[in-house]
Amino acid sequence: ELKVEQNPLFLSMQEGKNYTIYCNYSTTSDRLYWYRQDPGKSLESLFVLLSNGAVKQEGRLMASLDTKARLSTLHITAAVHDLSATYFCAAQETSGSRLTFGEGTQLTVNP
Amino acid sequence: DAGVIQSPRHEVTEMGQEVTLRCKPISGHNSLFWYRQTMMRGLELLIYFNNNVPIDDSGMPEDRFSAKMPNASFSTLKIQPSEPRDSAVYFCASSHLAGGHETQYFGPGTRLLVL
């Protein structure tokens, strides 16, 4: 059974600082997704990572995938308040469409 | 495309009543997922369909929950009878295989409160 763990679960950071969210998964998976959820809203797709060493960047967010370590990271550069949200990673089993989500990391960026 | 459409957006009902949640997936998507989100349990997959056929319903809590997908553009999740512990946000998502991945696109959710 595929399991996904994120850490930290809660992250409070100051504007302008850098930080990384980690996502570990338990079994082989070659498709890793990152989502964002604002309070009271739905989940919005951010990135999909399809291969070992894949890196995707959008604004102040950069996601990477290391399939050998079964680890994905979401790096935040020079955080701004607008990035405050809950970030989920999700791994997809090699067969089937099901995603297994992590618990989510609640990020708060303080002025 | 309008994205995944869910209705109603909010539902308040009394314990014991039947609740029906509706979902219209993105046109052309062949997989549909029902999730439930609570503070205590996080995001849980209830059931998913592929080409209108239920593939995995292991997350359906109990017999009070049922889901159908009569055609490619419509699905329902029914709770009968409802209980206060069913209060949650229910999301529907859809996907299809493109570019080697199956990004799921989520609807706005239905916020259910069972009194």
Side-chain angles (χ1 to χ4, degrees), chain A residues 1-4 23-33 48-54 64-72 89-101, chain B residues 100-102:
Chain A
E1 180 186 352
L2 178 58
K3 294 185 179 178
V4 179
C23 174
N24 291 90
Y25 53 96
S26 61
T27 63
T28 301
S29 172
D30 55 6
R31 287 176 278 183
L32 196 291
Y33 303 80
V48 54
L49 302 165
L50 300 179
S51 61
N52 188 44
S64 65
L65 179 62
D66 181 344
T67 58
K68 294 179 181 177
R70 295 178 184 162
L71 171 69
S72 181
C89 67
Q92 190 163 37
E93 296 175 3
T94 50
S95 62
S97 304
R98 181 185 181 129
L99 292 183
T100 299
F101 282 83
Chain B
H101 63 91
E102 292 186 68

mmCIF file of all heavy atoms in Angstrom, chain A residues 1-4 23-33 48-54 64-72 89-101, chain B residues 100-102:
data_model
loop_
_atom_site.group_PDB
_atom_site.id
_atom_site.type_symbol
_atom_site.label_atom_id
_atom_site.label_comp_id
_atom_site.label_asym_id
_atom_site.label_seq_id
_atom_site.Cartn_x
_atom_site.Cartn_y
_atom_site.Cartn_z
ATOM 1 N N GLU A 1 0.841 -1.187 0.000
ATOM 2 C CA GLU A 1 0.000 0.000 0.000
ATOM 3 C C GLU A 1 0.886 1.251 0.000
ATOM 4 O O GLU A 1 1.811 1.371 0.784
ATOM 5 C CB GLU A 1 -0.902 0.025 1.242
ATOM 6 C CG GLU A 1 -1.808 1.236 1.320
ATOM 7 C CD GLU A 1 -2.574 1.313 2.631
ATOM 8 O OE1 GLU A 1 -2.528 0.351 3.418
ATOM 9 O OE2 GLU A 1 -3.204 2.338 2.870
ATOM 10 N N LEU A 2 0.583 2.129 -0.907
ATOM 11 C CA LEU A 2 1.353 3.374 -1.021
ATOM 12 C C LEU A 2 0.997 4.325 0.114
ATOM 13 O O LEU A 2 -0.172 4.570 0.373
ATOM 14 C CB LEU A 2 1.039 4.023 -2.374
ATOM 15 C CG LEU A 2 1.690 5.355 -2.709
ATOM 16 C CD1 LEU A 2 3.204 5.264 -2.664
ATOM 17 C CD2 LEU A 2 1.226 5.838 -4.075
ATOM 18 N N LYS A 3 2.000 4.836 0.798
ATOM 19 C CA LYS A 3 1.788 5.818 1.861
ATOM 20 C C LYS A 3 2.625 7.047 1.561
ATOM 21 O O LYS A 3 3.741 6.942 1.051
ATOM 22 C CB LYS A 3 2.159 5.234 3.220
ATOM 23 C CG LYS A 3 1.253 4.100 3.655
ATOM 24 C CD LYS A 3 1.580 3.627 5.060
ATOM 25 C CE LYS A 3 0.629 2.492 5.461
ATOM 26 N NZ LYS A 3 0.930 1.966 6.815
ATOM 27 N N VAL A 4 2.083 8.199 1.908
ATOM 28 C CA VAL A 4 2.740 9.473 1.640
ATOM 29 C C VAL A 4 2.790 10.283 2.929
ATOM 30 O O VAL A 4 1.770 10.447 3.593
ATOM 31 C CB VAL A 4 1.984 10.260 0.551
ATOM 32 C CG1 VAL A 4 2.658 11.602 0.297
ATOM 33 C CG2 VAL A 4 1.912 9.454 -0.736
ATOM 34 N N CYS A 23 8.279 15.602 1.065
ATOM 35 C CA CYS A 23 7.225 14.623 0.801
ATOM 36 C C CYS A 23 7.888 13.274 0.533
ATOM 37 O O CYS A 23 8.592 13.116 -0.474
ATOM 38 C CB CYS A 23 6.395 15.070 -0.396
ATOM 39 S SG CYS A 23 5.169 13.874 -0.960
ATOM 40 N N ASN A 24 7.681 12.339 1.444
ATOM 41 C CA ASN A 24 8.223 10.986 1.285
ATOM 42 C C ASN A 24 7.094 10.026 0.931
ATOM 43 O O ASN A 24 5.994 10.126 1.481
ATOM 44 C CB ASN A 24 8.883 10.518 2.582
ATOM 45 C CG ASN A 24 10.151 11.272 2.886
ATOM 46 O OD1 ASN A 24 10.133 12.290 3.546
ATOM 47 N ND2 ASN A 24 11.262 10.792 2.367
ATOM 48 N N TYR A 25 7.378 9.072 0.065
ATOM 49 C CA TYR A 25 6.380 8.075 -0.273
ATOM 50 C C TYR A 25 6.997 6.683 -0.158
ATOM 51 O O TYR A 25 8.208 6.515 -0.290
ATOM 52 C CB TYR A 25 5.760 8.321 -1.642
ATOM 53 C CG TYR A 25 6.738 8.471 -2.779
ATOM 54 C CD1 TYR A 25 7.060 7.394 -3.590
ATOM 55 C CD2 TYR A 25 7.322 9.701 -3.061
ATOM 56 C CE1 TYR A 25 7.946 7.522 -4.641
ATOM 57 C CE2 TYR A 25 8.214 9.849 -4.108
ATOM 58 C CZ TYR A 25 8.522 8.759 -4.895
ATOM 59 O OH TYR A 25 9.410 8.893 -5.935
ATOM 60 N N SER A 26 6.143 5.709 0.077
ATOM 61 C CA SER A 26 6.636 4.421 0.572
ATOM 62 C C SER A 26 6.996 3.395 -0.495
ATOM 63 O O SER A 26 7.827 2.527 -0.256
ATOM 64 C CB SER A 26 5.593 3.798 1.506
ATOM 65 O OG SER A 26 4.381 3.584 0.793
ATOM 66 N N THR A 27 6.346 3.445 -1.628
ATOM 67 C CA THR A 27 6.629 2.434 -2.650
ATOM 68 C C THR A 27 6.854 3.112 -3.991
ATOM 69 O O THR A 27 6.689 4.320 -4.119
ATOM 70 C CB THR A 27 5.470 1.424 -2.765
ATOM 71 O OG1 THR A 27 4.295 2.122 -3.180
ATOM 72 C CG2 THR A 27 5.221 0.729 -1.455
ATOM 73 N N THR A 28 7.191 2.334 -4.941
ATOM 74 C CA THR A 28 7.545 2.880 -6.252
ATOM 75 C C THR A 28 6.400 3.714 -6.822
ATOM 76 O O THR A 28 5.259 3.274 -6.865
ATOM 77 C CB THR A 28 7.868 1.747 -7.227
ATOM 78 O OG1 THR A 28 8.951 0.993 -6.696
ATOM 79 C CG2 THR A 28 8.269 2.321 -8.584
ATOM 80 N N SER A 29 6.757 4.896 -7.221
ATOM 81 C CA SER A 29 5.790 5.779 -7.866
ATOM 82 C C SER A 29 6.552 6.667 -8.825
ATOM 83 O O SER A 29 7.587 7.218 -8.457
ATOM 84 C CB SER A 29 5.048 6.628 -6.835
ATOM 85 O OG SER A 29 4.249 7.607 -7.477
ATOM 86 N N ASP A 30 6.070 6.821 -10.020
ATOM 87 C CA ASP A 30 6.788 7.670 -10.970
ATOM 88 C C ASP A 30 5.989 8.903 -11.364
ATOM 89 O O ASP A 30 6.323 9.564 -12.346
ATOM 90 C CB ASP A 30 7.191 6.856 -12.205
ATOM 91 C CG ASP A 30 5.996 6.174 -12.853
ATOM 92 O OD1 ASP A 30 4.859 6.428 -12.404
ATOM 93 O OD2 ASP A 30 6.195 5.405 -13.795
ATOM 94 N N ARG A 31 4.953 9.172 -10.602
ATOM 95 C CA ARG A 31 4.192 10.386 -10.850
ATOM 96 C C ARG A 31 3.843 11.029 -9.517
ATOM 97 O O ARG A 31 3.148 10.436 -8.698
ATOM 98 C CB ARG A 31 2.921 10.068 -11.652
ATOM 99 C CG ARG A 31 3.206 9.731 -13.103
ATOM 100 C CD ARG A 31 1.967 9.342 -13.850
ATOM 101 N NE ARG A 31 1.614 7.946 -13.635
ATOM 102 C CZ ARG A 31 0.595 7.338 -14.222
ATOM 103 N NH1 ARG A 31 -0.186 8.008 -15.040
ATOM 104 N NH2 ARG A 31 0.341 6.079 -13.983
ATOM 105 N N LEU A 32 4.327 12.226 -9.336
ATOM 106 C CA LEU A 32 4.170 12.931 -8.066
ATOM 107 C C LEU A 32 3.545 14.290 -8.360
ATOM 108 O O LEU A 32 3.991 14.994 -9.277
ATOM 109 C CB LEU A 32 5.550 13.067 -7.406
ATOM 110 C CG LEU A 32 5.675 13.430 -5.913
ATOM 111 C CD1 LEU A 32 5.238 14.869 -5.624
ATOM 112 C CD2 LEU A 32 4.928 12.452 -5.037
ATOM 113 N N TYR A 33 2.534 14.631 -7.584
ATOM 114 C CA TYR A 33 1.762 15.857 -7.813
ATOM 115 C C TYR A 33 1.822 16.749 -6.583
ATOM 116 O O TYR A 33 1.865 16.253 -5.448
ATOM 117 C CB TYR A 33 0.298 15.508 -8.085
ATOM 118 C CG TYR A 33 0.081 14.565 -9.259
ATOM 119 C CD1 TYR A 33 0.264 13.204 -9.120
ATOM 120 C CD2 TYR A 33 -0.327 15.054 -10.502
ATOM 121 C CE1 TYR A 33 0.074 12.336 -10.186
ATOM 122 C CE2 TYR A 33 -0.537 14.194 -11.570
ATOM 123 C CZ TYR A 33 -0.331 12.839 -11.401
ATOM 124 O OH TYR A 33 -0.521 11.991 -12.460
ATOM 125 N N VAL A 48 3.252 18.650 -11.666
ATOM 126 C CA VAL A 48 3.331 17.206 -11.795
ATOM 127 C C VAL A 48 4.759 16.873 -12.167
ATOM 128 O O VAL A 48 5.346 17.507 -13.058
ATOM 129 C CB VAL A 48 2.319 16.664 -12.830
ATOM 130 C CG1 VAL A 48 2.448 17.345 -14.177
ATOM 131 C CG2 VAL A 48 2.457 15.167 -12.976
ATOM 132 N N LEU A 49 5.327 15.902 -11.483
ATOM 133 C CA LEU A 49 6.717 15.485 -11.689
ATOM 134 C C LEU A 49 6.705 14.040 -12.149
ATOM 135 O O LEU A 49 6.133 13.169 -11.478
ATOM 136 C CB LEU A 49 7.498 15.628 -10.382
ATOM 137 C CG LEU A 49 7.495 17.039 -9.786
ATOM 138 C CD1 LEU A 49 7.960 17.015 -8.346
ATOM 139 C CD2 LEU A 49 8.383 17.955 -10.615
ATOM 140 N N LEU A 50 7.327 13.776 -13.287
ATOM 141 C CA LEU A 50 7.165 12.481 -13.931
ATOM 142 C C LEU A 50 8.408 11.609 -13.958
ATOM 143 O O LEU A 50 8.327 10.446 -14.344
ATOM 144 C CB LEU A 50 6.683 12.681 -15.373
ATOM 145 C CG LEU A 50 5.347 13.404 -15.528
ATOM 146 C CD1 LEU A 50 5.004 13.561 -16.997
ATOM 147 C CD2 LEU A 50 4.252 12.651 -14.792
ATOM 148 N N SER A 51 9.541 12.130 -13.586
ATOM 149 C CA SER A 51 10.737 11.295 -13.707
ATOM 150 C C SER A 51 11.769 11.700 -12.676
ATOM 151 O O SER A 51 11.725 12.808 -12.113
ATOM 152 C CB SER A 51 11.330 11.434 -15.109
ATOM 153 O OG SER A 51 11.700 12.771 -15.361
ATOM 154 N N ASN A 52 12.715 10.811 -12.452
ATOM 155 C CA ASN A 52 13.768 11.092 -11.488
ATOM 156 C C ASN A 52 14.547 12.330 -11.915
ATOM 157 O O ASN A 52 14.949 12.448 -13.071
ATOM 158 C CB ASN A 52 14.704 9.892 -11.385
ATOM 159 C CG ASN A 52 15.702 10.064 -10.268
ATOM 160 O OD1 ASN A 52 15.354 10.497 -9.175
ATOM 161 N ND2 ASN A 52 16.952 9.738 -10.528
ATOM 162 N N GLY A 53 14.743 13.230 -10.984
ATOM 163 C CA GLY A 53 15.469 14.449 -11.284
ATOM 164 C C GLY A 53 14.613 15.561 -11.855
ATOM 165 O O GLY A 53 15.118 16.656 -12.119
ATOM 166 N N ALA A 54 13.334 15.305 -12.038
ATOM 167 C CA ALA A 54 12.461 16.332 -12.603
ATOM 168 C C ALA A 54 12.396 17.534 -11.672
ATOM 169 O O ALA A 54 12.351 17.395 -10.454
ATOM 170 C CB ALA A 54 11.061 15.770 -12.828
ATOM 171 N N SER A 64 10.777 19.346 -6.911
ATOM 172 C CA SER A 64 11.725 18.393 -7.479
ATOM 173 C C SER A 64 11.364 16.985 -7.044
ATOM 174 O O SER A 64 10.618 16.785 -6.085
ATOM 175 C CB SER A 64 13.148 18.734 -7.044
ATOM 176 O OG SER A 64 13.278 18.566 -5.639
ATOM 177 N N LEU A 65 11.892 16.018 -7.776
ATOM 178 C CA LEU A 65 11.583 14.619 -7.500
ATOM 179 C C LEU A 65 12.845 13.780 -7.554
ATOM 180 O O LEU A 65 13.604 13.847 -8.528
ATOM 181 C CB LEU A 65 10.570 14.100 -8.521
ATOM 182 C CG LEU A 65 10.157 12.631 -8.392
ATOM 183 C CD1 LEU A 65 9.472 12.374 -7.058
ATOM 184 C CD2 LEU A 65 9.241 12.232 -9.552
ATOM 185 N N ASP A 66 13.043 12.972 -6.522
ATOM 186 C CA ASP A 66 14.124 11.978 -6.466
ATOM 187 C C ASP A 66 13.451 10.627 -6.255
ATOM 188 O O ASP A 66 13.079 10.280 -5.138
ATOM 189 C CB ASP A 66 15.081 12.317 -5.315
ATOM 190 C CG ASP A 66 16.246 11.337 -5.212
ATOM 191 O OD1 ASP A 66 16.162 10.248 -5.806
ATOM 192 O OD2 ASP A 66 17.220 11.649 -4.536
ATOM 193 N N THR A 67 13.294 9.874 -7.336
ATOM 194 C CA THR A 67 12.568 8.605 -7.238
ATOM 195 C C THR A 67 13.365 7.536 -6.488
ATOM 196 O O THR A 67 12.783 6.640 -5.892
ATOM 197 C CB THR A 67 12.197 8.071 -8.632
ATOM 198 O OG1 THR A 67 13.388 7.917 -9.407
ATOM 199 C CG2 THR A 67 11.239 9.015 -9.337
ATOM 200 N N LYS A 68 14.670 7.668 -6.509
ATOM 201 C CA LYS A 68 15.486 6.668 -5.800
ATOM 202 C C LYS A 68 15.329 6.817 -4.290
ATOM 203 O O LYS A 68 15.276 5.821 -3.552
ATOM 204 C CB LYS A 68 16.943 6.792 -6.223
ATOM 205 C CG LYS A 68 17.171 6.441 -7.688
ATOM 206 C CD LYS A 68 18.629 6.590 -8.079
ATOM 207 C CE LYS A 68 18.805 6.250 -9.566
ATOM 208 N NZ LYS A 68 20.197 6.440 -10.015
ATOM 209 N N ALA A 69 15.268 8.053 -3.846
ATOM 210 C CA ALA A 69 15.059 8.330 -2.419
ATOM 211 C C ALA A 69 13.582 8.347 -2.061
ATOM 212 O O ALA A 69 13.234 8.468 -0.874
ATOM 213 C CB ALA A 69 15.698 9.659 -2.043
ATOM 214 N N ARG A 70 12.709 8.254 -3.068
ATOM 215 C CA ARG A 70 11.249 8.349 -2.863
ATOM 216 C C ARG A 70 10.922 9.642 -2.126
ATOM 217 O O ARG A 70 10.216 9.636 -1.099
ATOM 218 C CB ARG A 70 10.725 7.131 -2.124
ATOM 219 C CG ARG A 70 10.896 5.858 -2.939
ATOM 220 C CD ARG A 70 10.415 4.644 -2.202
ATOM 221 N NE ARG A 70 10.671 3.431 -2.968
ATOM 222 C CZ ARG A 70 10.676 2.216 -2.435
ATOM 223 N NH1 ARG A 70 10.416 2.040 -1.150
ATOM 224 N NH2 ARG A 70 10.915 1.161 -3.189
ATOM 225 N N LEU A 71 11.440 10.728 -2.667
ATOM 226 C CA LEU A 71 11.329 12.021 -2.004
ATOM 227 C C LEU A 71 11.050 13.103 -3.029
ATOM 228 O O LEU A 71 11.691 13.172 -4.082
ATOM 229 C CB LEU A 71 12.627 12.348 -1.274
ATOM 230 C CG LEU A 71 12.782 13.759 -0.699
ATOM 231 C CD1 LEU A 71 11.816 13.958 0.468
ATOM 232 C CD2 LEU A 71 14.219 13.996 -0.260
ATOM 233 N N SER A 72 10.078 13.939 -2.688
ATOM 234 C CA SER A 72 9.851 15.149 -3.456
ATOM 235 C C SER A 72 9.942 16.332 -2.509
ATOM 236 O O SER A 72 9.617 16.215 -1.330
ATOM 237 C CB SER A 72 8.490 15.126 -4.136
ATOM 238 O OG SER A 72 8.287 16.314 -4.894
ATOM 239 N N CYS A 89 1.126 17.057 -1.236
ATOM 240 C CA CYS A 89 1.731 16.241 -2.281
ATOM 241 C C CYS A 89 0.899 14.966 -2.415
ATOM 242 O O CYS A 89 0.205 14.561 -1.479
ATOM 243 C CB CYS A 89 3.184 15.911 -1.987
ATOM 244 S SG CYS A 89 3.449 14.839 -0.567
ATOM 245 N N ALA A 90 0.969 14.364 -3.580
ATOM 246 C CA ALA A 90 0.216 13.140 -3.845
ATOM 247 C C ALA A 90 1.027 12.276 -4.792
ATOM 248 O O ALA A 90 1.568 12.780 -5.783
ATOM 249 C CB ALA A 90 -1.154 13.454 -4.442
ATOM 250 N N ALA A 91 1.107 11.008 -4.477
ATOM 251 C CA ALA A 91 1.824 10.065 -5.329
ATOM 252 C C ALA A 91 0.817 9.150 -6.014
ATOM 253 O O ALA A 91 -0.231 8.822 -5.454
ATOM 254 C CB ALA A 91 2.815 9.251 -4.508
ATOM 255 N N GLN A 92 1.155 8.785 -7.225
ATOM 256 C CA GLN A 92 0.265 7.905 -7.992
ATOM 257 C C GLN A 92 0.940 6.557 -8.187
ATOM 258 O O GLN A 92 2.113 6.488 -8.574
ATOM 259 C CB GLN A 92 -0.041 8.528 -9.349
ATOM 260 C CG GLN A 92 -1.127 7.832 -10.134
ATOM 261 C CD GLN A 92 -1.640 8.713 -11.242
ATOM 262 O OE1 GLN A 92 -0.886 9.455 -11.871
ATOM 263 N NE2 GLN A 92 -2.931 8.659 -11.488
ATOM 264 N N GLU A 93 0.203 5.499 -7.925
ATOM 265 C CA GLU A 93 0.739 4.162 -8.110
ATOM 266 C C GLU A 93 1.034 3.929 -9.588
ATOM 267 O O GLU A 93 0.447 4.574 -10.451
ATOM 268 C CB GLU A 93 -0.247 3.135 -7.567
ATOM 269 C CG GLU A 93 -0.443 3.265 -6.063
ATOM 270 C CD GLU A 93 -1.507 2.340 -5.516
ATOM 271 O OE1 GLU A 93 -2.061 1.560 -6.303
ATOM 272 O OE2 GLU A 93 -1.794 2.412 -4.308
ATOM 273 N N THR A 94 1.943 3.009 -9.825
ATOM 274 C CA THR A 94 2.379 2.800 -11.204
ATOM 275 C C THR A 94 1.255 2.255 -12.088
ATOM 276 O O THR A 94 1.281 2.414 -13.299
ATOM 277 C CB THR A 94 3.571 1.836 -11.256
ATOM 278 O OG1 THR A 94 3.251 0.665 -10.494
ATOM 279 C CG2 THR A 94 4.801 2.485 -10.647
ATOM 280 N N SER A 95 0.271 1.638 -11.461
ATOM 281 C CA SER A 95 -0.895 1.194 -12.234
ATOM 282 C C SER A 95 -2.144 1.794 -11.606
ATOM 283 O O SER A 95 -2.254 1.868 -10.393
ATOM 284 C CB SER A 95 -1.002 -0.326 -12.237
ATOM 285 O OG SER A 95 -1.175 -0.805 -10.929
ATOM 286 N N GLY A 96 -3.024 2.269 -12.436
ATOM 287 C CA GLY A 96 -4.256 2.842 -11.927
ATOM 288 C C GLY A 96 -4.197 4.347 -11.825
ATOM 289 O O GLY A 96 -3.137 4.966 -11.959
ATOM 290 N N SER A 97 -5.336 4.929 -11.552
ATOM 291 C CA SER A 97 -5.481 6.382 -11.535
ATOM 292 C C SER A 97 -5.486 6.976 -10.134
ATOM 293 O O SER A 97 -5.479 8.183 -9.978
ATOM 294 C CB SER A 97 -6.795 6.771 -12.225
ATOM 295 O OG SER A 97 -6.857 6.258 -13.533
ATOM 296 N N ARG A 98 -5.496 6.131 -9.131
ATOM 297 C CA ARG A 98 -5.654 6.603 -7.761
ATOM 298 C C ARG A 98 -4.440 7.421 -7.319
ATOM 299 O O ARG A 98 -3.299 7.051 -7.583
ATOM 300 C CB ARG A 98 -5.828 5.396 -6.850
ATOM 301 C CG ARG A 98 -6.016 5.735 -5.405
ATOM 302 C CD ARG A 98 -6.066 4.484 -4.557
ATOM 303 N NE ARG A 98 -6.267 4.850 -3.157
ATOM 304 C CZ ARG A 98 -7.196 4.340 -2.377
ATOM 305 N NH1 ARG A 98 -8.016 3.420 -2.856
ATOM 306 N NH2 ARG A 98 -7.327 4.722 -1.125
ATOM 307 N N LEU A 99 -4.724 8.537 -6.600
ATOM 308 C CA LEU A 99 -3.675 9.331 -5.947
ATOM 309 C C LEU A 99 -3.743 9.079 -4.452
ATOM 310 O O LEU A 99 -4.827 9.010 -3.884
ATOM 311 C CB LEU A 99 -3.867 10.827 -6.197
ATOM 312 C CG LEU A 99 -3.657 11.355 -7.611
ATOM 313 C CD1 LEU A 99 -3.826 12.870 -7.624
ATOM 314 C CD2 LEU A 99 -2.282 10.986 -8.120
ATOM 315 N N THR A 100 -2.574 8.970 -3.828
ATOM 316 C CA THR A 100 -2.503 8.917 -2.376
ATOM 317 C C THR A 100 -1.921 10.234 -1.896
ATOM 318 O O THR A 100 -0.799 10.595 -2.269
ATOM 319 C CB THR A 100 -1.626 7.744 -1.909
ATOM 320 O OG1 THR A 100 -2.195 6.522 -2.381
ATOM 321 C CG2 THR A 100 -1.556 7.707 -0.388
ATOM 322 N N PHE A 101 -2.694 10.962 -1.096
ATOM 323 C CA PHE A 101 -2.306 12.297 -0.642
ATOM 324 C C PHE A 101 -1.576 12.247 0.694
ATOM 325 O O PHE A 101 -1.868 11.403 1.556
ATOM 326 C CB PHE A 101 -3.550 13.175 -0.480
ATOM 327 C CG PHE A 101 -4.075 13.701 -1.772
ATOM 328 C CD1 PHE A 101 -4.907 12.935 -2.566
ATOM 329 C CD2 PHE A 101 -3.744 14.975 -2.216
ATOM 330 C CE1 PHE A 101 -5.400 13.414 -3.777
ATOM 331 C CE2 PHE A 101 -4.226 15.469 -3.417
ATOM 332 C CZ PHE A 101 -5.054 14.687 -4.195
ATOM 333 N N GLY B 100 1.449 11.657 -20.291
ATOM 334 C CA GLY B 100 2.068 10.724 -19.349
ATOM 335 C C GLY B 100 1.627 10.889 -17.908
ATOM 336 O O GLY B 100 2.193 10.249 -17.011
ATOM 337 N N HIS B 101 0.658 11.733 -17.659
ATOM 338 C CA HIS B 101 0.183 11.882 -16.288
ATOM 339 C C HIS B 101 -1.325 12.078 -16.264
ATOM 340 O O HIS B 101 -1.963 12.272 -17.295
ATOM 341 C CB HIS B 101 0.879 13.071 -15.610
ATOM 342 C CG HIS B 101 0.577 14.395 -16.249
ATOM 343 N ND1 HIS B 101 -0.475 15.192 -15.852
ATOM 344 C CD2 HIS B 101 1.186 15.058 -17.266
ATOM 345 C CE1 HIS B 101 -0.492 16.290 -16.591
ATOM 346 N NE2 HIS B 101 0.504 16.233 -17.453
ATOM 347 N N GLU B 102 -1.872 11.971 -15.064
ATOM 348 C CA GLU B 102 -3.316 12.093 -14.879
ATOM 349 C C GLU B 102 -3.601 13.082 -13.766
ATOM 350 O O GLU B 102 -4.049 12.721 -12.678
ATOM 351 C CB GLU B 102 -3.919 10.742 -14.508
ATOM 352 C CG GLU B 102 -3.879 9.710 -15.603
ATOM 353 C CD GLU B 102 -4.621 8.453 -15.208
ATOM 354 O OE1 GLU B 102 -5.850 8.497 -15.084
ATOM 355 O OE2 GLU B 102 -3.944 7.418 -15.016
#
